Structure formats: structure tokens, C-alpha cells
Amino acid sequence: MIMERGVIICIDDEKLVLNGLRSQLGHEFGENYDIEMAESGEEAIGLFEELLEKRVSIPIVISDQLMPGIKGHELLIEIHKLSPSTYKILLTGQTDIEAITEAVNKANLYRYISKPWDGKDLSLTVREAIKGFYQDMQLENQNKLLERHNKELEKLVIERTAELLAEKEKSEALLVNILPEEIAEDLKEKGASEPRFY
């Protein structure tokens, strides 16, 4: 099975940071993923919506916190509404515990990384996030398949129960037609009947 090329989105208002991210992530993951850049939250949301429309897989979004307009944690909350399965990473030079807490609670923040970032740490984080994204996707697909099988099984059980009920009704009607009523009732209730002479 050939896996489609996914997209990693990086958002920062500083071109130097974006170029650094593109260089490192392109070197590490460029063979299988396109690295897309956005210089603002608004631009990132537009890009995200466009990619989702094309049904492109977006395993990871890496966003700066302090940007003009929409802040990083607010952006990640909006992105989470669009694609809850995408892993979100906040990359910032200033620690804002309140913003990080909000991103964890409302955007399911995967990881917070301080600037300047450690190259190995970022690569490992991205690698693990990609792995987690595709494992989550596989699990979701298996759950959907299991749900479909359960519905089919329920339908079969309902059909078979209806068939058995119809057969039972036929058997009871046949008993009443060929045997005296008392004996037919005994057979239905007890499965046997005392011999009688008529």
C-alpha cells in the first residue's frame, strides 16, 4: 500500500524561524511529507481548510505562540475544531502557562517546545507525533469496521429470530390442526404429553 504524502504545517511570524523549521523538517521528513509554511494564524487557517478540502492528511501543526493577530494557542484551538486528529505542537520563546494550559485543555496540545529548540528533540517529537497520528487513524478505522460488523451481525440476529418465530408459529399451528387441543398445549408447554385414550 502506497501512503499518500502528508503535510506538516509550520506557523511563525518570523521568516528566519520558518526557514529553520523548513530546513530541518525537510531534511528529516521531506521524503514522505510536504512542509508548508504560514506567517500568521489567519493564513494558517486558510491553508488548513484548503488542504482538508483536498482530503490531504495533516499529521502535525507546529505553531509559534506570540504572533500578531491570533495567538498560537488560540490558533491551535481553531485547528482542533477543524481536525481533532492532527497533533499540535506549540513552539515559543516565552513560557505562558495559562496559554499552554488552555491549549492542552481545548486543543489537545501534544507538546510544548521552547525556543531556541534542540534539533534532536524536535525531530524525535515530530517522529513520535507522526507515528501516533497514523496509529490513531488505524485504530479509528478498525473501530468503524468493528461497528459495521456489529450492525451486520445485529441485523442477521434479528432476521434469524424472526425466521425462528415464524417456524415456531407454523409448528404450533400444525400441532393444533393434527392433535387435540389439550395434547397440543401440553407439548407446547412441557415438550411432552401423558398418553390419553380417545
Side-chain angles (χ1 to χ4, degrees):
M1 180 179 123
I2 298 169
M3 195 168 65
E4 63 172 71
R5 280 181 74 79
V7 172
I8 297 170
I9 300 178
C10 301
I11 308 120
D12 201 300
D13 59 328
E14 294 180 43
K15 280 199 177 218
L16 192 65
V17 173
L18 285 179
N19 289 337
L21 286 169
R22 184 193 296 265
S23 173
Q24 182 182 346
L25 297 176
H27 176 72
E28 291 272 338
F29 306 100
E31 195 174 308
N32 299 311
Y33 298 92
D34 292 326
I35 315 299
E36 292 284 346
M37 304 287 147
E39 292 185 39
S40 69
E42 293 77 10
E43 186 186 336
I45 289 172
L47 173 63
F48 207 90
E49 288 173 336
E50 185 184 316
L51 291 169
L52 287 179
E53 253 180 59
K54 294 178 182 174
R55 298 189 178 276
V56 174
S57 169
I58 310 167
I60 304 167
V61 170
I62 301 171
S63 176
D64 182 28
Q65 169 61 13
L66 292 175
M67 298 182 287
I70 187 169
K71 300 287 178 238
H73 73 285
E74 296 165 341
L75 170 63
L76 295 181
I77 291 167
E78 290 306 308
I79 285 173
H80 186 69
K81 289 174 189 171
L82 296 170
S83 176
S85 59
T86 297
Y87 277 57
K88 277 85 59 189
I89 297 170
L90 199 59
L91 188 66
T92 182
Q94 294 185 338
T95 306
D96 182 345
I97 298 301
E98 199 174 301
I100 292 167
T101 304
E102 200 170 342
V104 167
N105 293 333
K106 295 183 180 175
N108 196 23
L109 183 70
Y110 176 65
R111 177 92 197 278
Y112 158 76
I113 298 176
S114 296
K115 284 182 186 174
W117 66 88
D118 173 82
K120 284 182 183 175
D121 182 38
L122 180 65
S123 293
L124 181 63
T125 299
V126 169
R127 194 174 309 284
E128 288 302 309
I130 288 170
K131 186 177 166 188
F133 174 83
Y134 285 107
Q135 283 175 342
D136 292 350
M137 190 183 284
Q138 187 180 13
L139 188 63
E140 188 181 331
N141 289 338
Q142 287 172 340
N143 285 340
K144 282 179 185 172
L145 192 64
L146 188 62
E147 198 176 306
R148 194 166 70 235
H149 284 314
N150 284 342
K151 282 181 182 170
E152 287 169 7
L153 191 61
E154 279 175 28
K155 186 181 169 191
L156 283 172
V157 167
I158 290 167
E159 287 171 3
R160 188 69 185 122
T161 303
E163 286 171 13
L164 289 171
L165 194 60
E167 287 300 317
K168 184 181 175 202
E169 286 171 2
K170 277 186 197 172
S171 296
E172 287 176 1
L174 187 62
L175 279 177
V176 171
N177 282 340
I178 61 171
L179 295 172
E181 194 177 324
E182 287 174 10
I183 294 173
E185 286 301 319
D186 279 351
L187 288 173
K188 282 195 281 185
E189 287 173 20
K190 303 174 194 167
S193 182
E194 291 293 320
R196 293 181 179 85
F197 181 75
Y198 289 93

